[in-house]
Amino acid sequence: MSAGYVMNTFDFSSRVRVVAGVRFEGTQLDTVSFDEGTGTLSDKASGSYVKVLPSVSLRYAFTPNTNLRLVYSRGLSRPDPQDIAQSVTFTTNSSPGSQKNTATLGNPGLKAETADNFDVLVERYLNPFGMISAGYFYKRLTDPIVTQSFVLQNFQPSPIAPPGSYTVTQPINAGDAWISGFEAAYLQHLTFLPGKLAGLGISANYGYTASRANGLPGRSDHPRLLRNAPNTWNLSPTYDRGRFSLRVGLSYNQANIAFYSFQDGTPTRDGSPSDPTAGGLKGPFGDGYFYSHLQVDAQGSVRLAHGLNFIMYGLNLTNEVFGFYQGSPQFMIQREYYTPTIAAGFRWSPLHEK
């Protein structure tokens, strides 16, 4: 890989600043696979490309504490190395009454994903310490990398694997996609409150997104992008006063698609027919989803003497579920509970002995 950039800042007045630049990203890719049948290296592939990534940001200051920001940028996301490797992993299950074979394939033909990003943000700084902001964003994606699952009959993923019916998972490039949304954030130390309440603070943010993927093989609908929750928020009340410090964090992610599996019979890009998924989009073989997740964490500390602090924290205090379902929540794939994690100890810093 190689890269270079140029950038400049233009101050047109005390109110208007523009930062503009362009970055060049070059990539050289070589892959090779191992032939299990012959025990030799084969199927070598290579390619190279250069991407030009411009960006420009305008800041307009309404007041010394209130700004409007308009931003355009183009971004690049290369495939993960494990996704472009010409590799195969498989599992077989021949237990009585069950015949579910799975295989995971690499895709050396994956293209880099690019995005044109547009952002509008209004922010206001609060005295003595704080900020409130709200903004809108829109991203246009080209060749987004997504994960798709499908069933292949009479398939043999490897010379050492038995032929049969396999549920296959593989990263692919969709045709294009977009994502847009609204986000807001608030951060402030509430020092204007009386007495000991002046140690209170709050940090909060909320995001809403809509998205759409186009050109997925074997389907004519336009699902949301992977790992793109419609609603997310974080809330963290804090307290810092004298020797005491306390933080509580609540984090929420709404259910979102983990992988694509549904097909509606639309022919694939090469014209091959695809069988409609049994049970439909919301059935037990539909798209895979992460469950909604609300996690509660807490951390506190007490400053003792001579640089010594007592600290204690707890993670996942409500023992929230982690897991996946397919189609609808009643069609569970896995549900995991890790129980809360609680730890306590002492920390000493010689720099703060006094």
Side-chain angles (χ1 to χ4, degrees):
M1 293 185 294
S2 59
Y5 73 94
V6 292
M7 185 188 75
N8 202 357
T9 300
F10 306 92
D11 289 314
F12 293 99
S13 69
S14 60
R15 292 178 177 268
V16 180
R17 166 174 286 189
V18 174
V19 179
V22 61
R23 183 176 178 87
F24 303 90
E25 293 271 359
T27 303
Q28 173 68 41
L29 175 66
D30 297 289
T31 63
V32 65
S33 64
F34 178 75
D35 190 322
E36 296 169 328
T38 63
T40 60
L41 298 176
S42 62
D43 296 330
K44 296 182 180 180
S46 63
S48 63
Y49 55 86
V50 176
K51 297 289 187 180
V52 180
L53 310 173
S55 65
V56 59
S57 170
L58 181 148
R59 186 202 66 186
Y60 180 81
F62 293 106
T63 70
N65 291 326
T66 305
N67 296 319
L68 168 68
R69 298 183 186 272
L70 304 175
V71 181
Y72 164 76
S73 64
R74 180 174 295 165
L76 168 70
S77 178
R78 297 181 179 89
D80 289 335
Q82 62 267 27
D83 288 341
I84 56 177
Q86 301 187 74
S87 61
V88 177
T89 60
F90 66 91
T91 60
T92 60
N93 185 357
S94 58
S95 57
S98 175
Q99 183 66 41
K100 185 175 181 181
N101 304 322
T102 63
T104 301
L105 306 180
N107 185 354
L110 278 179
K111 302 175 184 177
E113 175 181 327
T114 57
D116 289 294
N117 309 301
F118 303 86
D119 295 88
V120 180
L121 178 69
V122 177
E123 56 189 10
R124 180 173 177 82
Y125 298 98
L126 307 174
N127 292 321
F129 181 85
M131 184 182 75
I132 185 169
S133 65
Y136 168 82
F137 62 88
Y138 175 83
K139 303 176 186 293
R140 184 72 180 181
L141 307 178
T142 303
D143 296 320
I145 299 172
V146 300
T147 302
Q148 186 179 45
S149 294
F150 48 93
V151 176
L152 291 179
Q153 305 293 340
N154 300 317
F155 178 62
Q156 187 177 17
S158 166
I160 62 175
S165 175
Y166 283 79
T167 299
V168 179
T169 301
Q170 185 179 39
I172 63 171
N173 289 109
D176 59 78
W178 58 260
I179 176 173
S180 66
F182 167 82
E183 55 191 358
Y186 171 59
L187 169 68
Q188 189 169 19
H189 289 182
L190 307 180
T191 54
F192 54 84
L193 294 177
K196 295 182 178 180
L197 294 179
L200 288 172
I202 189 167
S203 173
N205 62 71
Y206 167 78
Y208 169 79
T209 63
S211 64
R212 172 172 168 160
N214 305 310
L216 293 174
R219 59 195 298 175
S220 59
D221 65 340
H222 308 282
R224 295 181 63 90
L225 284 170
L226 298 180
R227 298 176 178 266
N228 177 232
N231 293 282
T232 61
W233 54 263
N234 297 276
L235 177 64
S236 178
T238 64
Y239 186 82
D240 292 282
R241 183 80 171 179
R243 296 176 177 270
F244 298 94
S245 178
L246 177 65
R247 280 161 176 74
V248 178
L250 293 85
S251 178
Y252 173 76
N253 284 276
Q254 193 175 354
N256 56 93
I257 301 176
F259 60 86
Y260 298 123
S261 182
F262 171 75
Q263 294 191 334
D264 58 11
T266 300
T268 59
R269 293 175 186 171
D270 60 5
S272 303
S274 63
D275 295 326
T277 300
L281 183 62
K282 298 297 183 182
F285 303 104
D287 295 334
Y289 287 79
F290 292 103
Y291 282 105
S292 296
H293 187 80
L294 173 61
Q295 181 163 322
V296 180
D297 305 321
Q299 175 180 325
S301 66
V302 180
R303 190 172 69 253
L304 302 175
H306 304 292
L308 188 65
N309 292 267
F310 172 75
I311 58 175
M312 186 173 183
Y313 69 84
L315 305 177
N316 192 28
L317 295 177
T318 55
N319 195 23
E320 185 71 8
V321 63
F322 293 83
F324 307 86
Y325 64 88
Q326 205 158 350
S328 300
Q330 65 266 33
F331 302 123
M332 176 189 65
I333 299 176
Q334 68 184 54
R335 290 173 64 90
E336 302 173 357
Y337 293 90
Y338 293 95
T339 71
T341 298
I342 298 175
F346 292 91
R347 180 175 60 201
W348 177 69
S349 173
L351 300 178
H352 297 88
E353 281 196 26
K354 295 181 179 181

